[in-house]
Amino acid sequence: MSNAADGFFGQYGGRFVPPQLETPLAEVAEAYQEAIADPSFMAEYDALLTDYVGRPSPLFKAERLTQELSGATIYLKREDLNHTGAHKINHCLGEGLLAKRMGKKKLLAETGAGQHGVALATAAALLGLECEIHMGAIDIEKQRPNVVRMELLGATIVPVTSGGACLKDAVDSAFDVFAADYKDTFFAIGSVVGPHPYPTIVRDFQSIVGRETREQILAKENKLPDAVVACVGGGSNAMGIFNAFLDDESVKIFGVEPAGRDLSTIGEHAATMTHGTHGMLHGMKTMVLQDEDGEPSAVHSIASGLDYPGIGPQHAHLRDIGRVEYVHASDDETLDAFKLLCRTEGIIPALESCHALAHAMRIARSMSRDEVIVVNLSGRGDKDIDYVAGRLEESGK
Ligand SMILES: *Cc1c(COP(=O)(O)O)cnc(C)c1O
């Protein structure tokens, strides 16, 4: 194991990988620094965000939701309106362009629920790159629609049957392929996690969300928001919107984790900041839900995109320095938020995003109308309606 000197956020982050991954990752870090210093690279990226993704995404004042809660004024950053229906396309296009610039032929990644795989396969199709997605055999069974989407987009799915045949095993499998074949392959991580430089690369490509939000809220309200709220799985949509407000002390910032079915039982939640301990996961130092041997714990969330036993290292640091407060919302609170947004605003949100919404609803009630909360609505909920229908049928609502 080696330990790169850079890529730390306080005591978290770094690059803790087997020696054979050191060179390929250093190559990515160097190419990234060159790319972002090259105006033609950024111009190409910006053009894709505009013409392909459909940016800027609107900042929408949710008037009926605000009235219903009779508290703070709530705005929604509409990442659900992006092409492919979530924020992930922002960093997948960035990673794809970087891969092309480095002369790579193939994008490689692991995926759990399949959302990262779909966004990456989309970027690969657009940019004319091959795409290879490693996925646990159990996840492949559970996430059929996303597997079909990836295949339609031209990606090759590699089923992983080792270990528990889930996300962690898919990560190991993809890393192995990368180490063996990095000449032609770009490893595209799906959130602000993993070894340096990925937490930085993914944050930077997502930071467009916060830059737009800042400009939009100043234009609409002539002031900064009082609070910014985002859900946190690995933490990419959250870092994307938080990044533009970190230096504004008047803006309270909240990251919302899944409390799942039961916060006091291992395997029934994914609240890494609440119950995690210092550890090592996916080549980084961060907070981890783990057992005494350092094996990542089983996790659960109603939102499969938040089902992750770790968190991006910058989040762990932002909590330590007291800049961001990490809270949680349960499956039931999330479902309530889902239903309320559907009915008050005509927007069917992703269950992931509803964690953020649930916390915004909680704090809005004790705030006044002239105070403003911005919620990052990270994705749309079409993918979730079958599941929600089942849950509502069960509970007779
Ligand atoms: C994947 C996903 C998330 C969680 O990922 P982060 O890296 O924590 O942002 C949140 N919302 C949606 C809609 C997603 O698809």
Side-chain angles (χ1 to χ4, degrees), residues 65-75 221 223-229 250-254 325 356-375:
L65 178 66
T66 297
Q67 267 168 28
E68 179 78 26
L69 300 171
S70 50
T73 298
I74 297 184
Y75 280 86
E221 293 280 338
K223 62 169 190 170
L224 291 174
D226 296 278
V228 172
V229 189
S250 67
V251 181
K252 288 205 177 80
I253 306 181
F254 297 94
E325 196 177 326
L357 205 55
H359 185 67
M361 285 161 53
R362 213 184 265 156
I363 59 173
R365 291 195 166 95
S366 61
M367 293 165 73
S368 66
R369 192 63 55 95
D370 60 358
E371 292 180 285
V372 169
I373 303 175
V374 174
V375 176

Side-chain angles (χ1 to χ4, degrees), residues 86-88 115 190-191 231-238 305-306 350 352-353 378-379:
H87 68 288
K88 286 192 176 74
Q115 286 143 275
S191 188
C231 67
V232 182
S236 65
N237 87 89
L306 303 183
E352 287 83 358
S353 322
S378 54

Side-chain angles (χ1 to χ4, degrees), residues 121-176:
T122 302
L126 177 75
L127 299 172
L129 295 164
E130 292 167 41
C131 186
E132 178 178 315
I133 304 291
H134 291 235
M135 196 169 179
I138 293 176
D139 288 332
I140 289 180
E141 280 308 307
K142 286 204 297 207
Q143 309 290 347
R144 200 62 216 149
N146 278 340
V147 172
V148 174
R149 283 186 188 100
M150 287 184 267
E151 284 171 350
L152 287 171
L153 292 161
T156 303
I157 314 290
V158 178
V160 179
T161 52
S162 55
C166 287
L167 178 63
K168 173 181 178 294
D169 315 288
V171 172
D172 293 342
S173 167
F175 266 124
D176 285 349

Side-chain angles (χ1 to χ4, degrees), residues 246-299:
L246 291 176
D247 293 335
D248 303 302
E249 278 173 34
S250 67
V251 181
K252 288 205 177 80
I253 306 181
F254 297 94
V256 189
E257 295 193 311
R261 284 186 288 253
D262 178 7
L263 198 53
S264 57
T265 306
I266 293 166
E268 295 292 300
H269 65 82
T272 308
M273 288 299 209
T274 307
H275 285 311
T277 48
H278 289 150
M280 199 80 82
L281 183 72
H282 300 163
M284 61 179 164
K285 246 187 182 170
T286 188
M287 300 304 288
V288 186
L289 289 167
Q290 58 191 337
D291 67 16
E292 282 157 13
D293 302 323
E295 275 297 303
S297 306
V299 282

Side-chain angles (χ1 to χ4, degrees), residues 1-13:
M1 298 296 234
S2 64
N3 174 5
D6 47 357
F8 276 89
F9 304 91
Q11 59 173 308
Y12 308 101

Side-chain angles (χ1 to χ4, degrees), residues 171-252:
V171 172
D172 293 342
S173 167
F175 266 124
D176 285 349
V177 169
F178 183 52
D181 187 22
Y182 71 87
K183 288 261 176 308
D184 284 335
T185 303
F186 184 93
F187 194 39
I189 289 187
S191 188
V192 287
V193 300
H196 175 69
Y198 290 96
T200 302
I201 292 184
V202 173
R203 176 201 63 200
D204 291 354
F205 284 133
Q206 285 297 344
S207 63
I208 182 69
V209 179
R211 284 200 304 278
E212 285 176 6
T213 302
R214 196 184 164 89
E215 207 172 287
Q216 289 166 321
I217 199 71
L218 285 172
K220 285 175 196 286
E221 293 280 338
N222 206 17
K223 62 169 190 170
L224 291 174
D226 296 278
V228 172
V229 189
C231 67
V232 182
S236 65
N237 87 89
M239 270 326 305
I241 194 163
F242 293 174
N243 200 53
F245 299 100
L246 291 176
D247 293 335
D248 303 302
E249 278 173 34
S250 67
V251 181
K252 288 205 177 80

